Amino acid sequence: VVPKVGIIGASGYTGAELLRLCASHPDLEVVVATGDSQAGTPVAELYPSLAAAYPGTCFDRWDDGLADGLDVAFLGLPHGASQTVVPGLLDRGVGHVVDLAADFRLKDAALYPQWYGEPHGSPDLLAQAVYGLPELFRSEIGHARLIAAPGCYVTSASLALAPLLREGLIEPTGIVVDAASGASGAGRPPKANTTFCTVDEDFTAYGVLDHRHTPEIEQNLSTVAGSPVQVLFTPHLAPMNRGILATCYARPTSALSTGEARDALHAAYDDEPFVVVRDTPPSTKATLGSNTAHVTAYADARTGWIVCFAALDNLVKGASGQAVQCANLALGLPETTGLPLVGMYP
Amino acid sequence: VVPKVGIIGASGYTGAELLRLCASHPDLEVVVATGDSQAGTPVAELYPSLAAAYPGTCFDRWDDGLADGLDVAFLGLPHGASQTVVPGLLDRGVGHVVDLAADFRLKDAALYPQWYGEPHGSPDLLAQAVYGLPELFRSEIGHARLIAAPGCYVTSASLALAPLLREGLIEPTGIVVDAASGASGAGRPPKANTTFCTVDEDFTAYGVLDHRHTPEIEQNLSTVAGSPVQVLFTPHLAPMNRGILATCYARPTSALSTGEARDALHAAYDDEPFVVVRDTPPSTKATLGSNTAHVTAYADARTGWIVCFAALDNLVKGASGQAVQCANLALGLPETTGLPLVGMYP
Amino acid sequence: VVPKVGIIGASGYTGAELLRLCASHPDLEVVVATGDSQAGTPVAELYPSLAAAYPGTCFDRWDDGLADGLDVAFLGLPHGASQTVVPGLLDRGVGHVVDLAADFRLKDAALYPQWYGEPHGSPDLLAQAVYGLPELFRSEIGHARLIAAPGCYVTSASLALAPLLREGLIEPTGIVVDAASGASGAGRPPKANTTFCTVDEDFTAYGVLDHRHTPEIEQNLSTVAGSPVQVLFTPHLAPMNRGILATCYARPTSALSTGEARDALHAAYDDEPFVVVRDTPPSTKATLGSNTAHVTAYADARTGWIVCFAALDNLVKGASGQAVQCANLALGLPETTGLPLVGMYP
Amino acid sequence: VVPKVGIIGASGYTGAELLRLCASHPDLEVVVATGDSQAGTPVAELYPSLAAAYPGTCFDRWDDGLADGLDVAFLGLPHGASQTVVPGLLDRGVGHVVDLAADFRLKDAALYPQWYGEPHGSPDLLAQAVYGLPELFRSEIGHARLIAAPGCYVTSASLALAPLLREGLIEPTGIVVDAASGASGAGRPPKANTTFCTVDEDFTAYGVLDHRHTPEIEQNLSTVAGSPVQVLFTPHLAPMNRGILATCYARPTSALSTGEARDALHAAYDDEPFVVVRDTPPSTKATLGSNTAHVTAYADARTGWIVCFAALDNLVKGASGQAVQCANLALGLPETTGLPLVGMYP
């Protein structure tokens, strides 16, 4: 029997990407797709791209009863909404809940008021939630009931820096993460700062000093480093649909060559199906549509800086693909089932 | 036993797209990938996007011996080259040859000197070759040994106009096909007219009056109409990677409403897995990465024009996906095996 | 004394473009810039691009008293609003009113309910209004008090087709205008169909059969032809900020060569400062930021079609530059004063 | 008498931009435009954008005699070529030579073999050359005969960091300059890494650790700081035609607030016509086509980093506009003559 999937919040871009990935996943069957603002709208009308696989499906309005019988629920809701929905899903016996929002990602409940402006609504569930970044925390994900899948910036910065911090090769403070993202990270609803004429042919920074995903990067890296890591994170918006590139700067703890830095990446990732270690700067376009991240590192003898890079598709490895990867693990399926290894190029 | 595939001319964009599609095709295994100008280069170096699936593969230099044991050979060569390679492939017993160039598409050998500037090198094979557009000529493709898969402009114009011509609803002459394409149609090698700074933020026509794919459009439409069809074809270059939109203008043979025109499209395509009939103008982006074409039609009572549209991804349904679809048919596999039904959006 | 300019509706894209052009115009001084939805906002905040020339200016809220003492008022308002503002401007003695909306462009008041859905509010002023396309109607513009400056689609289609129709070289019916526009034509306010992720990497048609600018194209061409002209107009949205390309199809009245068609264009435009007749297909990018249109024509002996093209920048020659050109004429200034002749490339 | 201008190397993008700027400059007249690879080609054929202002001009082949009578020579040549041409220009009495290449920018001849791979051909002229960044070194530019105008990366990094270093507010070492550029910075000739399909929808780093403009940034900042400054510079390629954003990271020498950092920028630039100090992150698009740079700064109390930004148009303030600004100063014209203050938006 193919596991039954519900996508709650399916009308946004991460939801549509889950629908795309599930359409070619041999072991997941979408039986529920909700989107309250689009309730009653055919999937094929909002996303003509999905017409050939979902000819008769309409977005449902969310209702607790829709949870019954679900083996997996993916949540593609705006921040804050998952906190109110997840307890009910677990109570109703949904097998595995994979949340794509930040609601269950931070372990320290005190960080929510600091970075998100209000206290957490279900702080008791934070301890239960597993952080869904398989390359760093795979052993906890198998059979987990509540998985908080991380987003694009955090995944890219974490994959680039974690091996070097885990091995004690770079200092845990003074780290800079300078990243650029495509516009799909801002979601589907029209806003003044995401119109075509605003974004096209422009490059600009935003969220300077206080972007919400900062504490999550620090949490992951502190966990692998075993000591507090501090990061300044500067996101930029690039004129493209998809893709994240994180360019990270850190100081070595002692003399470190480019070769040694890359060795640490190879040791961490050579057995990973979804991470490629490169000898050249990774390009976001090489990851388009795939669940694969590309990473590399350089050491500058002249200035003493270590520079490491990670590129990925923000809607796949940085969102919906990662969620499916976690679901595969939770369900006991082969981790790569139904997930694209290769990017679409050009 | 999984059928063995050779991709001859794998280093261009259609070749890379064949590698991408084959990577997730359960019943095709790439055993040979040649690219003379890139011989010895790792696939993952020229196309980092393919690194995770082809970690150790290098492009080979073509040699006749590579044909031995191939069940399918796909040819992604520049125009003219297939004529010299195909006879040898057939002689060496390759099961099915699917050519992505125009070398075996025209039935009338006299059209080659007229539109391509030189006579055909293997005119005797033209009669043997099957035209690989399944939605129009499926019955001929099953078990065919030599299949000439059509390209993007011809596929889009043919799919948009064929049902109306077959039913005698529009006049066979005076037809205009006004189309726009993304830049990947021009191929990988750098040229003055395909640099980023030339194409970005530009829209322009090219090949005005004499584009080489004109006679192929006319051949297909004449076949389905049962009488000579004449088309003026004007291609444009749009600032995007992929996608073709054909906007076609024709005169009705007698009074024809929008509903009647769309009925003809529904009758032709409702059972087709890879064609969606829309009630709104199709968008190229809805087809991105998929093997699906979107079509629709309008009738203008005021001016008497019939306008019909088709959108598709020029590298998938307009090239490599179509080739795989033909190979599936030739091999007796389910036609949709391994082919993406849905587009990547956004 | 430098003429005083008011820009009413200055916060949209055509308003911002008027502010840009006036900043380097030696004989126009902006003394009023209104934008009701942005009243009180510094110009430099909404448009940082204008900061260096308008460091202290804020958008005003419109008030009749602001009209006093204006030599020129430009109106960049949404359709329908100009009808209510213009009578007051004329009464208050504004020297010249140049409206960028369609409110005073159609001569036949009956066309407003048909194409715009409601009757005209000041039909008596329609006779007084002069159509602001200098290359076709220059003599009427000098000293005119009310000028209706045409938009991008109409200007491009009119410039491409008018010389051929005026000379009786093409048939007045059966004409197709197939055009593509950048996204700035849709204006500044965010909408679902103009977000970056909707437009980027997409090409699609809209307004099929019933776009509002159709009757204006027909009006202009009928005037120059001396008999009723009928046009089917199909606009498309291309993924770029600016630029319009009109590709026009018509039947010759008798045998016509490419050379003869271009001769008609040269005869019409060789003395025009803002029209360039090309021997190759014009490119929108060549017109970027300039007030110049590029045109050409082809005759296809094979199918009998005449194809003519015009490219221009929709916000300059297709809107604000044209308005300044008209104001120059109305004020008795040299027509090219302050207007960019050359495009920004790349 | 209007000063006579020669543009040597006019067929590249900086040359074309000089032609654009000179077309609307009231006090410069282009009498010579050379481009050896395009000798004999009409300017309007290679750059249709320039057709309306240069209808009959063809690119010349360079010849020493063309220097006679020039008041200003702009050099838009590839690196290395200016070294061989400039001595002759000065000998022939050209009034002012403004070189857009790096040939005369570095004061220490020993840096050329280190960063450019070969020794300088006219090292004696290095002392005579004036560095053409008016906002930092204006007093040296007036009446200078040989001016080395800096490029886009160096101008943006220098403008962002110079005020803070001059005031001793940030440490001179450990500085990171992370920048993104549009593709026009790579020039006109087609290359594998600048085709549309390579650049579009991609974001990637290049020149990691060893980009040639690093020593120039260090030279400028060391000069204003009065002590050696060391910078790690990481350029990225963004999918856009024009624009540079430099995001710079430095450590404060003592406690420094965002307000204090911006005060230093205001003190440096409030009287500068071509620098705008912003309170929000600058956007490259706001500078499009203008000679204006936008800068700002932030201080992060949490991590201790100072982040400062500068955005500009790489072909105007980062190349040809800066060269004209320098020529204005050298000729004794008002510095802003003929230069666009405002950007084209959108």
Side-chain angles (χ1 to χ4, degrees), chain C residues 22-338:
Chain C
C22 290
S24 57
H25 193 297
D27 294 317
L28 294 179
E29 181 193 0
V30 177
V31 296
V32 170
T34 76
D36 286 5
S37 70
Q38 301 290 333
T41 303
V43 166
E45 183 181 316
L46 191 64
Y47 291 105
S49 55
L50 299 172
Y54 300 91
T57 311
C58 290
F59 291 107
D60 274 323
R61 187 176 302 281
W62 171 247
D63 178 276
D64 283 351
L66 294 173
D68 294 341
L70 293 182
D71 296 291
V72 178
F74 292 110
L75 277 69
L77 299 168
H79 178 76
S82 300
Q83 298 170 30
T84 69
V85 174
V86 163
L89 295 175
L90 296 174
D91 288 349
R92 285 211 170 227
V94 171
H96 308 277
V97 174
V98 184
D99 184 23
L100 283 79
D103 291 57
F104 296 97
R105 293 191 202 139
L106 295 174
K107 297 297 176 194
D108 178 358
L111 290 170
Y112 282 95
Q114 180 185 343
W115 291 88
Y116 288 88
E118 49 186 355
H120 198 281
S122 301
D124 49 310
L125 282 176
L126 291 178
Q128 181 182 336
V130 164
Y131 196 86
L133 185 46
E135 288 76 11
L136 299 187
F137 311 110
R138 179 173 289 112
S139 62
E140 303 170 30
I141 300 171
H143 309 293
R145 286 206 65 207
L146 174 54
I147 301 169
C152 49
Y153 282 127
V154 179
T155 300
S156 58
S158 300
L159 291 178
L161 290 162
L164 301 176
L165 280 162
R166 191 163 40 204
E167 302 302 320
L169 301 175
I170 55 175
E171 297 285 351
T173 58
I175 296 173
V176 168
V177 173
D178 185 290
S181 170
S184 60
R188 188 176 59 80
K191 296 168 213 153
N193 62 345
T194 58
T195 67
F196 183 82
C197 286
T198 304
V199 175
D200 184 46
E201 299 290 304
D202 189 31
F203 191 77
T204 189
Y206 67 98
V208 178
L209 307 189
D210 61 0
H211 192 282
R212 291 174 161 194
H213 292 157
T214 304
E216 218 180 301
I217 299 172
E218 294 180 342
Q219 171 182 288
N220 288 347
L221 296 178
S222 298
T223 301
V224 300
S227 65
V229 171
Q230 200 179 52
V231 167
L232 173 64
F233 168 47
T234 309
H236 297 76
L237 183 59
M240 54 193 196
N241 283 306
R242 297 183 177 217
I244 289 271
L245 182 75
T247 302
C248 310
Y249 301 91
R251 312 295 304 189
T253 48
S254 61
L256 184 70
S257 70
T258 293
E260 290 162 341
R262 288 188 193 161
D263 285 346
L265 298 178
H266 279 290
Y269 297 130
D270 278 358
D271 290 340
E272 289 291 341
F274 292 123
V275 183
V276 171
V277 181
R278 306 280 310 164
D279 290 330
T280 52
S283 119
T284 62
K285 189 166 187 164
T287 69
L288 184 66
S290 80
N291 198 50
T292 300
H294 290 204
V295 300
T296 197
Y298 290 79
D300 186 25
R302 200 178 68 90
T303 64
W305 282 105
I306 305 299
V307 193
C308 35
F309 298 93
L312 50 80
D313 183 320
N314 57 304
L315 290 179
V316 193
K317 184 58 183 168
S320 305
Q322 183 133 276
V324 170
Q325 185 181 355
C326 289
N328 285 344
L329 286 169
L331 290 164
L333 297 170
E335 188 171 343
T336 59
T337 310

Side-chain angles (χ1 to χ4, degrees), chain D residues 60-206:
Chain D
D60 274 322
R61 187 176 304 280
W62 172 247
D63 178 275
D64 283 351
L66 296 172
D68 294 341
L70 294 182
D71 296 291
V72 178
F74 293 110
L75 277 68
L77 299 168
H79 178 77
S82 300
Q83 297 170 32
T84 68
V85 174
V86 163
L89 294 175
L90 296 174
D91 288 350
R92 285 212 169 226
V94 171
H96 309 276
V97 173
V98 185
D99 184 22
L100 283 79
D103 291 55
F104 296 97
R105 293 193 202 137
L106 295 173
K107 296 298 177 194
D108 178 358
L111 291 170
Y112 283 96
Q114 181 184 344
W115 291 89
Y116 289 87
E118 47 186 356
H120 198 280
S122 301
D124 49 310
L125 281 176
L126 290 178
Q128 180 182 338
V130 165
Y131 197 85
L133 185 46
E135 288 76 11
L136 299 187
F137 309 110
R138 179 173 289 111
S139 62
E140 304 170 28
I141 300 170
H143 308 293
R145 286 205 65 207
L146 174 54
I147 301 169
C152 49
Y153 282 127
V154 179
T155 300
S156 59
S158 299
L159 291 178
L161 290 162
L164 301 176
L165 279 163
R166 191 162 42 203
E167 302 302 320
L169 301 176
I170 54 175
E171 296 287 350
T173 57
I175 296 174
V176 169
V177 174
D178 186 289
S181 170
S184 60
R188 188 177 59 80
K191 297 168 213 154
N193 62 345
T194 58
T195 68
F196 184 82
C197 286
T198 303
V199 175
D200 185 46
E201 299 289 303
D202 189 33
F203 191 78
T204 190
Y206 67 98

Side-chain angles (χ1 to χ4, degrees), chain B residues 79-160:
Chain B
H79 178 77
S82 300
Q83 297 171 32
T84 68
V85 174
V86 163
L89 295 174
L90 295 174
D91 288 349
R92 285 212 169 225
V94 171
H96 308 277
V97 174
V98 184
D99 184 22
L100 282 80
D103 291 55
F104 295 98
R105 294 193 202 137
L106 295 174
K107 296 298 176 193
D108 178 358
L111 291 170
Y112 283 97
Q114 180 184 344
W115 291 89
Y116 289 87
E118 47 187 355
H120 198 281
S122 301
D124 49 310
L125 282 175
L126 292 178
Q128 180 182 336
V130 165
Y131 197 86
L133 184 46
E135 289 76 11
L136 300 187
F137 310 110
R138 179 174 288 111
S139 62
E140 304 171 28
I141 300 170
H143 308 294
R145 286 207 64 208
L146 174 55
I147 301 169
C152 49
Y153 282 127
V154 179
T155 299
S156 59
S158 299
L159 291 178

Side-chain angles (χ1 to χ4, degrees), chain B residues 42-86:
Chain B
V43 166
E45 183 181 316
L46 190 64
Y47 291 106
S49 55
L50 299 172
Y54 299 91
T57 311
C58 290
F59 291 107
D60 274 323
R61 187 177 302 281
W62 172 248
D63 178 276
D64 283 351
L66 295 173
D68 294 342
L70 294 182
D71 297 290
V72 178
F74 293 110
L75 276 68
L77 299 169
H79 178 77
S82 300
Q83 297 171 32
T84 68
V85 174
V86 163

